[in-house]
Each structure stands twice: as C-alpha cells, then as structure tokens.
Amino acid sequence: MAALLIFIEGCGFEGKQIFVEEGAEYELTPLNDSELVNDKYYIKNGSKFYEAYMPNGTVSSMASQVDSKRLFWLDVDESLIPTYYKGELIAYPSENLSLDRISVERFSDVGYSIGLYGGTVDDEGYLCYKLKENSIGVSNAYSVLSQSKSDQIRITTINDNPVNTDSINSGGIITGLSQNEEYTIGYYAGTYYSTATVKADEHYLQSYEIINIDKAETTKNGYLSISLPDDAKSGYYLINGYGLFKYYDY
C-alpha cells in the first residue's frame, strides 16, 4: 500500500516528516475498554471495541416507525462499519445509570445503483429526479448529469430498455444494477433530450424493520451492555439513531 508523506510544523513537532498509509482513514480503529468515550456506542469483538459508524444518507435521528425514505449510501467508507457477531455485545459507557430507550433499526441491502435516490414516476412512466435534492454529490451520476441544461431530470431508458414503475423501489432508487457497471441512460433535462453513460457506484441501504430492546445490562467494565435478540437476522442495524453495525447471526 502506498504511503503519503506529510510535513507537520507546530507545537512539539519541530517540522517533522511522518508517513501515513494511504487509505488509513478508511480502516477501523480498535479500542480497549479504557479508551471508550461516554455516550457513544461501541461494538465489542473479542477484547476490542469499534465505534458504530454513521454513513451519509437521509437519516439524521432515531426513527419511531419504518420509513422507506430512510436511506444510507456507502462508498469507500463501507469499511468503517464494525461487525457484530452473535454472542458479542454493544457497549455504551455513560455517567447515567440506564438508557431511556433502546432501538435498533434494521436496514435492507438494496445493492448498487447510480447516485440518484428519491425518484418518482410521472404519467409517461419516466423516472423523475431533481439533481439538487435527489443526487449524491460525490457519485459518477451527479458528475455527469450536473452538466445538463436543467436540474429536472427524467430518465426514459436504461441501456435502450424503457423504464417503468418496476425500475425503482419505494426509496426511489433504480434497482437491478451491478456494482460499478456502466449504463447508458436516455433522459430529458427539462425539454432537452440527451444520453449519458453513468456508473452504478453507490451501495444503498433502506429502512426495513425496527426492534425495541427491553433494557441494557449493567456491567463492572465501565459500560452498559446491549444485546440483540436471539432471533435477530443477519444484516445492517442502526443503534439508537447513532451509528451502523453489520450483524452476523453466527
């Protein structure tokens, strides 16, 4: 792996040069129980703890009910989601003695698509998006379509196949695409018709189920212990609106 050379000046550094591995910012940081910070959620894996991770998306808080418009999208940051294996726990250090509410929201894996979400289908069966509201700024699709004559985009075909209501899911995401594959779309930007090649470079998760947990267990290790129910399914979960982890039922 390549290394980045960084030159640092300031208090205590005296112009030192340090090397940082490229991509290190996308590696999980293991912590000991003595390093945990209050009011954060950590996934225990053996003797180490990993903070739950909050990706980009339409989610900003805890949900009281399932909403198909609650989405996450993942890119290179997917590696920052910690793994929870059955039999382990979620640690919550705090000055408080208990948690008022414990909720885990399960997210279904939608798969990969282009960087557009929240779309609707108009009377002509076209897929409609407003780029400023319904696109991911770092995606290939936004980079390509933002050069169009209008913010109003109506997709008519994908690889020459007409789109319809089955082309998108309840979150307005185009489905049936493969990871990092390129697709030629026919579309109107306002009244102007054009074609473009876009890449399915975004991995989407969508709210699917909410599970309420009765209580957290007190431990002598400096944190409350939260466990998923025995019948919890493998998948992605959001703990109390704070951050994601990926659960494996084994």
Side-chain angles (χ1 to χ4, degrees), residues 167-205:
S167 301
I168 63 174
N169 70 1
S170 57
I173 300 165
I174 297 173
T175 56
L177 307 186
S178 300
Q179 180 180 357
N180 290 327
E181 288 292 315
E182 292 186 336
Y183 296 86
T184 299
I185 60 171
Y187 71 99
Y188 287 96
T191 60
Y192 299 92
Y193 181 80
S194 186
T195 61
T197 299
V198 293
K199 184 182 292 187
D201 56 356
E202 297 296 331
H203 185 189
Y204 288 93
L205 307 177

Side-chain angles (χ1 to χ4, degrees), residues 127-240:
L127 311 184
C128 303
Y129 297 90
K130 296 179 180 178
L131 286 181
K132 292 179 181 178
E133 297 178 14
N134 308 120
S135 64
I136 301 170
V138 297
S139 69
N140 171 260
Y142 177 80
S143 176
V144 172
L145 296 176
S146 61
Q147 307 303 314
S148 301
K149 293 179 179 293
S150 173
D151 180 67
Q152 308 282 333
I153 300 295
R154 294 192 302 157
I155 297 175
T156 63
T157 59
I158 300 176
N159 284 355
D160 294 327
N161 297 312
V163 299
N164 54 50
T165 55
D166 294 329
S167 301
I168 63 174
N169 70 1
S170 57
I173 300 165
I174 297 173
T175 56
L177 307 186
S178 300
Q179 180 180 357
N180 290 327
E181 288 292 315
E182 292 186 336
Y183 296 86
T184 299
I185 60 171
Y187 71 99
Y188 287 96
T191 60
Y192 299 92
Y193 181 80
S194 186
T195 61
T197 299
V198 293
K199 184 182 292 187
D201 56 356
E202 297 296 331
H203 185 189
Y204 288 93
L205 307 177
Q206 183 179 29
S207 180
Y208 177 75
E209 178 185 24
I210 293 177
I211 302 171
N212 293 314
I213 297 175
D214 290 338
K215 65 176 182 177
E217 300 293 334
T218 303
T219 74
K220 295 181 179 179
N221 301 311
Y223 55 78
L224 295 174
S225 170
I226 303 167
S227 298
L228 287 186
D230 290 337
D231 59 352
K233 307 296 185 183
S234 295
Y236 294 90
Y237 289 84
L238 177 70
I239 173 68
N240 270 4

Side-chain angles (χ1 to χ4, degrees), residues 43-45 83-89 246-250:
I43 310 306
K44 184 176 180 293
N45 191 337
T83 300
Y84 178 156
Y85 293 101
K86 188 168 187 175
E88 288 288 8
L89 56 86
K246 189 172 185 180
Y247 177 66
Y248 287 100
D249 182 25
Y250 57 80

Side-chain angles (χ1 to χ4, degrees), residues 6-20:
I6 300 175
F7 187 80
I8 298 178
E9 288 186 304
C11 181
F13 287 102
E14 298 178 352
K16 290 183 179 180
Q17 293 181 345
I18 61 173
F19 286 90
V20 178

